[in-house]
Amino acid sequence: MQWGSPSEFWAMGGYGLYVWTSFGATALCMVWEVLAVWRRQAAAAVERRDVA
Amino acid sequence: MFQTVALSGSRGERLLFSDVSVTVKPGTLLAVVGENGSGKTSFLRMLCGLLSPDGGAILWQGEDIRQLKELYTAQLTYVGHLNGIKDELTPVENLKLSACLAGDKSSGAIVQKALEAVGLGRSVHRLPTRVLSQGQKRHVALARLWLSTRPLWLLDEPFASLDTAATSYLTQRLQAHLSNGGMVVIATHQEIALPTDSIQHLRLAR
Amino acid sequence: MFQTVALSGSRGERLLFSDVSVTVKPGTLLAVVGENGSGKTSFLRMLCGLLSPDGGAILWQGEDIRQLKELYTAQLTYVGHLNGIKDELTPVENLKLSACLAGDKSSGAIVQKALEAVGLGRSVHRLPTRVLSQGQKRHVALARLWLSTRPLWLLDEPFASLDTAATSYLTQRLQAHLSNGGMVVIATHQEIALPTDSIQHLRLAR
Amino acid sequence: MSFMGINWFKYSSPQAFHPLAGKMIPWFSAAALALIGVGLYIGFFVAPTDFQQGDAYRIIFVHVPAAWMSMFLYVIMAAWAGIGLGLNARPSFMMAQAIAPTGALFTFLALLTGSMWGKPTWGAWWVWDARLTSELILLFQYIGIISLRASIDDLRRADRASAVFALVGVVNVPIIYFSVRWWNTLHQGASVSMTASPKMAATMVTAMLVMTLGFWMYSFAVTLARVRCVIAERERQLSWGKNASIQQVAEAR
Amino acid sequence: MSQPSMSEALRGVVRRDLLLAMRHRSDVAMSVFFVVIVASLFPLGVGPEQAVLRMIASGVLWVTALLACLLSLGRLFTADYLDGVLEQTLLIPQPLAVLVVGKVFAHWVISGLPVVLLSPLLGLQFGLSGDSLWVLTLSLLLGTPTLSMLGAIGAALTLGLRGSGLLVALLVLPLFVPVLIFGAGAVTSSLAGIGSEANLSLLGACFLLSLAFAPWATAVALRIALE
Amino acid sequence: MSQPSMSEALRGVVRRDLLLAMRHRSDVAMSVFFVVIVASLFPLGVGPEQAVLRMIASGVLWVTALLACLLSLGRLFTADYLDGVLEQTLLIPQPLAVLVVGKVFAHWVISGLPVVLLSPLLGLQFGLSGDSLWVLTLSLLLGTPTLSMLGAIGAALTLGLRGSGLLVALLVLPLFVPVLIFGAGAVTSSLAGIGSEANLSLLGACFLLSLAFAPWATAVALRIALE
Ligand code: HEM
Ligand SMILES: Nc1ncnc2c1ncn2[C@@H]1O[C@H](COP(=O)(O)OP(=O)(O)OP(=O)(O)O)[C@@H](O)[C@H]1O
Ligand SMILES: Nc1ncnc2c1ncn2[C@@H]1O[C@H](COP(=O)(O)OP(=O)(O)OP(=O)(O)O)[C@@H](O)[C@H]1O
Ligand SMILES: [Mg+2]
Ligand SMILES: [Mg+2]
């Protein structure tokens, strides 16, 4: 394990901004996509119940 | 009262009609008839002010429509060859918007009633007009007449591609308008099933 | 002989007709009637192969038209809602080109004769079609029938916006085609003035 | 016809596919979570710092999987589209429709993480090099397919038109992949990659591969969930039609 | 007698066009994509050197915005003309020039505004930074409505003519030239550190001038086209 | 039974389109004017230095040619679709792909060829000379038919859709990119004295590839559009 402390970990050798933006944006996009699909599914389910 | 005085019109070098003087009194209908290409559409567009006459004048309550401008257009409803509806909008939206632009009432319920009155079933009220059939699109255009409170109606072949049910609805609507003291000018190839005393014919020759 | 077998068709998830089986024998006419929006146009386009059916088949001389492909389109002439003519070209040029593309004779004299036969006066033969009236444009489209040597005609509301003269010319032409052993399928709201024994009705319900 | 004991035709109809997809989604989701977790652990705590690029290189663990997925998903989408056109099968169009947004998302992520990486290593957020450009074009293709579908509301036409375009656009995928080889560019090629010693490179490669597998699982889960939405939405439109029995006739065709 | 008030009619016109745009959400995004794609084509043709790209950035981005406006002009009146909505609009009892302002405004919201909002990002791609990015955005904000208004004249004049896509280009591009020069000039002078106020105020003047005259000219052209 | 031969049908299709173009002679000139005007806008936006202009010449001219093709795509099928000529074309008893080739050829003659013929002059304006002028012309001659064919796919796919002007841009511009890169690359490499054969033969390959597949894809797209 090369990280001496959490702050070192977050700093990423001075590249923290870039690294964490990348990972953060990726995580955010994926979570957003999952939520979007989930909401869409819920909406579709409601409509189905309405029709039936 | 609506009058044309010695009206003459031409399209590109060709004289279509000349010296046409007719008077449309409240409660009467003027049927413009004639062969294909005799100038019915051109005549109607002239009455709207969309086309300028070669000679003569068009008078609304005795005043020239060229002087009246917007005061005159506020008196008429025109339904042309083209339907004047947006393909991408639904019948309801189309009718609402055109009623609103004409200054007529345009709530959802009123609009739906008008569409049903012309024979357009509820099932297609919320589809984009693009997918409707030829005749159904015409219904949407004509439904404006059920909302219109204007005294003068100018209709260009309103019956073309309508089925029999819609034709009779429209005839009834015209009847109601006339008995309210309205005026109608109509270009058509069909017979109109209205009492003959309220109809006046203008035949254009080719 | 031309047949549909248990044909069903829908537009955008809406079923228009199903299980339609009709046979059109040489020398007979099939009139497709029904209210606005009942699916007449869709039915005709399906017979042309422009629209694919949801179920069933269309047979020409006993063979499925999906197998025949170009062999089948070489048998038919279709005149749709849209005229299929170029606004910028004159009636003569339009007719010449479409006859040439259909493989029919297309000399100047023949084409002019066809245009006159449908009721289009010589004076407008050399104008761009754009300036013609609604009905005159329709004449140009229909004049193709006077040149067509194909056995099967599919016509979508050919009588709409025609005057009485043109209507009777067209009726005579249909009569001649039928007595030559031709077949006609027609979608219309009007009555067709032909002997009733050669007419067969198909009513589509909404 | 049965293949490995499964009746495939049974699942080729949307109604049968809907519950099947529902059953598979949890498994894929769990696998995705586990793999991405393990990948992140190896990536951040096992793999050592690169002595040339420092820790910025760790972006590789999202960048490369995202870039790969963007291309894979396009090919898969085009394949479904092709099958749909060939066999006139509605479920395959639905699959293609469901894949497009995820593909676009990964393309966007590849671009984003790439430029995050570019700033520290190349000194610029963006350069006009062949691979970057072709990846950008891939994004436009995804957007094109999605907007084409969005602008057509007749489902049948929407399905088939976007399928044709997806197929035509496949030519771009080999261009992206080989762009590094064909043109001399700033972006690194497959062989250059790591500057560290072989043993350390191995842990990096492992992390990258595990992350990629995780992204695969994620894509499966999300597209299956989305295809369920699509089926449900289309069914709803169906039931707006006339009566159910005739729809089933049409469906069975 | 039924007659809509002026503001009612204006709102009606704008509402219909925005409704149509909303019907296909993607339409609104379209001009943005167009700008992004075309702007990306230039580096492909010209080559990737940052120095060259920064030098041509203002010109390229402005020409692109101008083309986006040009391409979307087809939407302004043509559809209305073909389906007869335009002749109905002419029959609305309100001054036509006012209704034209409504239509042009809706057109700008749909096709101009998105480009303005996107421009900072594109500037970054071409290596612009800081001040000049803001000047670019500001110049587009002032310039694109002018483009829409001038374009409307051309669109009305070519209504219903064959090949009007290119004809309209021919007519309006010369009118666009001053806007282009001032707009691109603003960015260039800010890059050179000279200060861009002069160019920006000239752009503002263009805007006011065209607001005063263009709707009126467009109205006349529309009446002629429909004769 | 009457049936036109394949070459007869092909000639008929081409003849009609050329006749229509001849009816409005100005149409043919239009794409030339467009290219001239847009190409002249760049010096206005970028500034007048010869060195910079020569550097960007190939890119700008190619992008312009490409935009001219894009703008004229609207003419390819839309008019035919609206007036029903297209559905009649589908009913001609010949393979649709062949007829599509005819239409695309006519389109190229009207909108692509004039640009090719004009290009040497434009090259001169941007300070190209001798060899590179010829390479420019040759690359356009090889490239513009490819653009027309690829563009036809997009035009067919977006037929009758709202805002199709921009949608078609979104669809086909990505497909145009390889042609742009090879075309502009040929000029650039000839300017650098490297020799442009590689790029030109890649252009040729693109042409053959699109000739093989594009008409077929367009035919499929047209059938879908008319359903
Ligand atoms: C916006 C910018 C970027 C884009 C669009 C992009 C795109 C791609 C694509 C599509 C791939 C997968 C293709 C393949 O594996 O051959 C890839 C892989 C890769 N990229 Fe990038 N990239 C970008 C920036 C960068 C930067 C700045 C770096 C590092 C300095 C980088 C390093 C890599 C590496 C190491 C690979 C893996 C190559 C391999 O081993 O196969 N990328 N990138
Ligand atoms: N530029 C022109 N040159 C010559 N004649 C023209 C020109 N423009 C129009 N026309 C003629 O003017 C007439 C236009 O008539 P209009 O459209 O008013 O006829 P219509 O009575 O409505 O016919 P339909 O019953 O077919 O609708 C046509 O006969 C047309 O040929
Ligand atoms: N996407 C869609 N969703 C629902 N209904 C649709 C869709 N597309 C078309 N339709 C319906 O299909 C029918 C089309 O009918 P078609 O045009 O064949 O009618 P028609 O019998 O020719 O009518 P007309 O007499 O008015 O010409 C219309 O009722 C229309 O509402
Ligand atoms: Mg008329
Ligand atoms: Mg019909």
Side-chain angles (χ1 to χ4, degrees):
Chain A
M1 176 90 65
Q2 60 268 46
W3 312 110
S5 68
S7 66
E8 219 172 288
F9 177 70
W10 294 117
M12 272 292 148
Y15 295 112
L17 176 66
Y18 305 110
V19 174
W20 295 122
T21 321
S22 301
F23 280 83
T26 308
L28 218 69
C29 284
M30 286 173 148
V31 169
W32 170 77
E33 192 190 15
V34 168
L35 283 181
V37 170
W38 197 45
R39 284 225 310 268
R40 188 169 160 183
Q41 208 160 30
V46 167
E47 299 264 9
R48 244 143 73 95
R49 228 173 298 126
D50 282 356
V51 165
Chain B
M1 205 171 63
F2 182 59
Q3 269 181 306
T4 70
V5 179
L7 200 67
S8 68
S10 63
R11 301 305 312 261
E13 315 311 326
R14 211 191 115 204
L15 188 76
L16 290 175
F17 48 83
S18 62
D19 215 17
V20 175
S21 302
V22 286
T23 303
V24 184
K25 295 213 188 70
T28 64
L29 178 147
L30 173 69
V32 185
V33 295
E35 295 158 64
N36 290 138
S38 53
K40 301 181 292 298
T41 299
S42 312
F43 183 72
L44 249 68
R45 289 174 67 86
M46 223 166 261
L47 297 190
C48 293
L50 287 173
L51 208 65
S52 28
D54 276 24
I58 302 162
L59 309 182
W60 172 254
Q61 317 288 27
E63 286 185 74
D64 194 319
I65 65 165
R66 271 168 297 191
Q67 253 88 63
L68 289 173
K69 285 189 182 144
E70 278 97 29
L71 288 179
Y72 172 63
T73 48
Q75 310 298 323
L76 66 86
T77 298
Y78 171 66
V79 180
H81 265 313
L82 297 171
N83 290 323
I85 53 177
K86 282 283 154 201
D87 263 6
E88 298 300 318
L89 301 182
T90 66
V92 170
E93 287 166 337
N94 264 309
L95 197 52
K96 254 191 193 167
L97 278 167
S98 51
C100 156
L101 283 174
D104 294 316
K105 275 187 241 94
S106 57
S107 81
I110 294 179
V111 161
Q112 292 222 344
K113 232 195 249 160
L115 288 172
E116 277 169 26
V118 74
L120 198 72
R122 260 181 198 261
S123 62
V124 295
H125 284 190
R126 309 266 167 201
L127 288 178
T129 326
R130 177 169 32 79
V131 307
L132 300 192
S133 79
Q134 198 80 350
Q136 289 173 324
K137 286 180 194 164
R138 199 73 189 146
H139 291 179
V140 180
L142 290 169
R144 278 172 49 215
L145 298 179
W146 270 257
L147 301 179
S148 165
T149 53
R150 311 251 177 114
L152 176 64
W153 291 0
L154 303 168
L155 312 178
D156 197 355
E157 304 203 13
F159 299 107
S161 72
L162 289 192
D163 57 20
T164 41
T167 306
S168 79
Y169 298 148
L170 179 60
T171 312
Q172 282 159 28
R173 177 64 190 152
L174 291 181
Q175 172 82 71
H177 181 61
L178 292 178
S179 55
N180 265 340
M183 289 163 253
V184 180
V185 181
I186 208 168
T188 184
H189 294 291
Q190 265 106 326
E191 285 301 305
I192 309 166
L194 284 178
T196 44
D197 57 340
S198 60
I199 299 191
Q200 192 187 161
H201 282 269
L202 169 68
R203 175 166 298 277
L204 299 180
R206 195 162 49 181
Chain C
M1 205 171 68
F2 182 61
Q3 268 180 307
T4 70
V5 180
L7 199 66
S8 66
S10 62
R11 299 307 310 267
E13 315 305 334
R14 201 184 128 208
L15 188 78
L16 291 175
F17 48 84
S18 63
D19 216 17
V20 174
S21 302
V22 286
T23 304
V24 183
K25 296 213 189 72
T28 63
L29 179 148
L30 174 68
V32 185
V33 295
E35 296 158 64
N36 289 138
S38 54
K40 299 181 295 299
T41 298
S42 312
F43 183 72
L44 248 70
R45 290 175 66 85
M46 223 166 259
L47 297 190
C48 293
L50 286 174
L51 208 66
S52 28
D54 275 26
I58 301 161
L59 308 182
W60 173 254
Q61 316 289 23
E63 286 185 75
D64 194 317
I65 65 165
R66 272 168 295 194
Q67 252 89 63
L68 289 173
K69 284 191 181 142
E70 278 97 30
L71 288 180
Y72 171 65
T73 48
Q75 310 297 325
L76 66 86
T77 298
Y78 171 66
V79 180
H81 264 311
L82 297 170
N83 291 320
I85 53 178
K86 282 282 155 200
D87 262 5
E88 300 299 318
L89 302 180
T90 66
V92 170
E93 287 167 335
N94 263 311
L95 196 52
K96 255 190 190 168
L97 277 167
S98 51
C100 156
L101 283 173
D104 293 316
K105 277 188 240 94
S106 58
S107 81
I110 294 180
V111 161
Q112 292 222 342
K113 229 194 255 160
L115 287 172
E116 276 168 28
V118 74
L120 198 70
R122 263 185 196 256
S123 61
V124 295
H125 283 190
R126 306 271 169 197
L127 289 179
T129 325
R130 176 170 32 84
V131 307
L132 300 190
S133 78
Q134 199 79 350
Q136 289 174 324
K137 286 181 193 164
R138 197 75 188 146
H139 292 179
V140 181
L142 290 169
R144 280 172 47 214
L145 298 180
W146 271 257
L147 302 179
S148 165
T149 54
R150 312 251 176 111
L152 177 63
W153 291 358
L154 303 169
L155 313 178
D156 197 355
E157 304 205 11
F159 299 108
S161 73
L162 289 191
D163 57 20
T164 42
T167 305
S168 79
Y169 298 148
L170 179 59
T171 314
Q172 282 159 30
R173 177 63 190 150
L174 291 181
Q175 173 83 69
H177 181 61
L178 292 179
S179 55
N180 264 339
M183 291 164 251
V184 180
V185 182
I186 208 168
T188 185
H189 293 291
Q190 264 104 331
E191 285 301 305
I192 309 167
L194 284 177
T196 44
D197 59 340
S198 60
I199 299 192
Q200 195 187 157
H201 283 267
L202 170 66
R203 174 166 298 277
L204 299 179
R206 192 158 53 176
Chain D
M1 187 185 79
S2 87
F3 176 65
M4 301 207 317
I6 304 171
N7 184 347
W8 287 100
F9 268 138
K10 186 174 153 214
Y11 294 112
S12 75
S13 101
Q15 276 86 349
F17 186 68
H18 195 264
L20 177 73
K23 262 180 265 164
M24 295 194 306
I25 291 169
W27 295 105
F28 284 126
S29 312
L33 273 178
L35 283 167
I36 291 175
V38 171
L40 285 178
Y41 178 78
I42 303 179
F44 280 108
F45 299 106
V46 181
T49 304
D50 185 83
F51 67 74
Q52 229 181 30
Q53 301 193 3
D55 285 313
Y57 93 95
R58 288 183 205 274
I59 295 176
I60 204 174
F61 302 125
V62 276
H63 173 68
V64 175
W68 278 344
M69 290 314 295
S70 69
M71 293 186 292
F72 283 138
L73 286 178
Y74 193 93
V75 174
I76 296 172
M77 176 182 68
W80 279 118
I83 295 173
L85 276 182
L87 304 182
N88 200 9
R90 303 211 314 178
S92 18
F93 289 127
M94 295 184 195
M95 282 305 290
Q97 177 182 359
I99 291 172
T102 307
L105 184 82
F106 278 123
T107 316
F108 169 73
L109 285 177
L111 286 167
L112 187 92
T113 54
S115 38
M116 284 301 148
W117 199 354
K119 189 66 185 171
T121 45
W122 302 336
W125 297 104
W126 183 261
V127 291
W128 289 97
D129 122 317
R131 165 155 291 170
L132 273 58
T133 310
S134 48
E135 183 78 4
L136 185 63
I137 288 168
L138 187 70
L139 180 65
F140 294 150
Q141 287 182 325
Y142 275 118
I143 293 173
I145 290 168
I146 294 170
S147 353
L148 182 61
R149 174 180 289 284
S151 345
I152 310 178
D153 22 39
D154 182 55
L155 275 180
R156 207 175 132 79
R157 179 174 174 194
D159 276 343
R160 301 200 298 154
S162 42
V164 169
F165 184 69
L167 279 177
V168 170
V170 171
V171 287
N172 190 26
V173 175
I175 295 183
I176 303 176
Y177 191 78
F178 293 110
S179 55
V180 221
R181 205 174 302 166
W182 290 346
W183 290 280
N184 211 347
T185 64
L186 207 49
H187 192 283
Q188 41 222 65
S191 48
V192 193
S193 51
M194 295 305 122
T195 43
S197 67
K199 183 182 142 236
M200 298 182 177
T203 54
M204 294 180 189
V205 169
T206 318
M208 212 167 77
L209 291 180
V210 172
M211 285 295 281
T212 308
L213 258 178
F215 277 25
W216 264 112
M217 293 301 132
Y218 168 84
S219 309
F220 278 135
V222 173
T223 44
L224 284 179
R226 193 178 286 116
V227 92
R228 270 165 63 95
C229 298
V230 171
I231 292 173
E233 285 162 4
R234 291 193 180 193
E235 253 177 21
R236 194 187 72 213
Q237 292 202 351
L238 263 179
S239 56
W240 282 355
K242 256 194 171 166
N243 55 52
S245 65
I246 296 160
Q247 286 145 25
Q248 264 133 37
V249 174
E251 206 57 77
R253 176 170 56 92
Chain E
M1 230 65 332
S2 64
Q3 184 167 350
S5 73
M6 186 179 294
S7 72
E8 213 177 16
L10 194 62
R11 253 181 302 136
V13 167
V14 174
R15 196 164 76 225
R16 173 159 57 198
D17 283 11
L18 292 185
L19 195 65
L20 277 169
M22 277 303 113
R23 191 61 18 113
H24 288 290
R25 235 39 83 78
S26 52
D27 263 30
V28 183
M30 217 69 86
S31 57
V32 171
F33 289 132
F34 176 79
V35 170
V36 175
I37 296 183
V38 174
S40 319
L41 289 179
F42 281 98
L44 294 179
V46 171
E49 292 93 48
Q50 277 287 332
V52 179
L53 286 180
R54 186 168 315 122
M55 211 153 25
I56 64 170
S58 65
V60 165
L61 292 179
W62 256 95
V63 171
T64 314
L66 193 149
L67 288 174
C69 174
L70 196 71
L71 272 179
S72 59
L73 280 181
R75 291 203 292 217
L76 194 49
F77 299 118
T78 318
D80 282 8
Y81 175 70
L82 291 175
D83 56 23
V85 166
L86 193 59
E87 62 186 19
Q88 295 293 347
T89 308
L90 257 64
L91 292 175
I92 293 174
Q94 287 298 339
L96 186 53
V98 174
L99 303 178
V100 165
V101 171
K103 280 202 75 76
V104 172
F105 174 73
H107 175 256
W108 178 74
V109 169
I110 297 162
S111 69
L113 189 60
V115 174
V116 175
L117 296 180
L118 187 77
S119 53
L121 214 71
L122 289 173
L124 272 182
Q125 272 200 328
F126 277 79
L128 293 185
S129 57
D131 228 29
S132 19
L133 269 184
W134 285 116
V135 173
L136 175 69
T137 314
L138 199 62
S139 70
L140 283 171
L141 186 64
L142 274 171
T144 44
T146 319
L147 296 183
S148 289
M149 274 187 292
L150 294 176
I153 306 178
L157 282 173
T158 59
L159 207 55
L161 302 183
R162 246 186 70 72
S164 56
L166 284 173
L167 186 57
V168 77
L170 205 59
L171 286 179
V172 304
L173 282 180
L175 295 179
F176 284 181
V177 165
V179 182
L180 170 69
I181 292 181
F182 301 142
V187 183
T188 315
S189 51
S190 109
L191 268 178
I194 308 175
S196 48
E197 287 76 18
N199 277 310
L200 287 179
S201 42
L202 280 170
L203 270 184
C206 287
F207 173 67
L208 292 177
L209 210 70
S210 58
L211 184 61
F213 294 110
W216 175 81
T218 310
V220 173
L222 283 178
R223 282 201 195 280
I224 295 172
L226 275 192
E227 273 262 306
Chain F
M1 232 63 331
S2 65
Q3 187 167 351
S5 75
M6 189 181 291
S7 73
E8 215 177 14
L10 196 60
R11 254 181 301 136
V13 167
V14 174
R15 197 165 76 226
R16 173 159 56 199
D17 282 9
L18 293 184
L19 196 65
L20 277 169
M22 279 300 114
R23 194 63 17 117
H24 288 287
R25 242 26 92 76
S26 54
D27 264 28
V28 183
M30 216 70 85
S31 55
V32 171
F33 285 131
F34 175 78
V35 170
V36 172
I37 294 185
V38 174
S40 323
L41 287 179
F42 279 97
L44 292 179
V46 171
E49 293 93 47
Q50 272 292 326
V52 178
L53 285 182
R54 185 171 313 122
M55 214 157 17
I56 64 170
S58 64
V60 166
L61 291 179
W62 256 95
V63 171
T64 315
L66 194 147
L67 289 174
C69 175
L70 195 72
L71 272 180
S72 59
L73 280 181
R75 291 202 292 216
L76 192 49
F77 298 118
T78 317
D80 282 9
Y81 174 70
L82 291 177
D83 58 21
V85 166
L86 193 59
E87 64 185 18
Q88 295 293 346
T89 308
L90 256 66
L91 292 175
I92 294 174
Q94 289 296 339
L96 186 53
V98 174
L99 304 177
V100 165
V101 172
K103 279 204 75 76
V104 172
F105 174 73
H107 176 257
W108 178 75
V109 168
I110 298 163
S111 68
L113 189 57
V115 175
V116 175
L117 297 179
L118 187 76
S119 55
L121 220 68
L122 288 172
L124 277 179
Q125 266 199 332
F126 277 77
L128 294 185
S129 58
D131 228 30
S132 20
L133 269 185
W134 285 117
V135 173
L136 175 69
T137 314
L138 198 64
S139 70
L140 283 170
L141 185 65
L142 273 171
T144 44
T146 317
L147 297 184
S148 289
M149 274 187 291
L150 294 175
I153 305 177
L157 283 173
T158 58
L159 208 53
L161 303 183
R162 247 188 69 71
S164 59
L166 286 173
L167 184 58
V168 77
L170 183 59
L171 291 182
V172 304
L173 284 180
L175 298 179
F176 283 180
V177 165
V179 182
L180 170 69
I181 291 180
F182 300 141
V187 184
T188 314
S189 52
S190 111
L191 268 178
I194 308 174
S196 49
E197 288 77 19
N199 277 309
L200 287 179
S201 43
L202 280 170
L203 268 185
C206 287
F207 173 67
L208 292 177
L209 210 71
S210 57
L211 185 61
F213 293 109
W216 173 83
T218 310
V220 173
L222 283 178
R223 282 198 195 281
I224 293 170
L226 276 191
E227 277 253 310

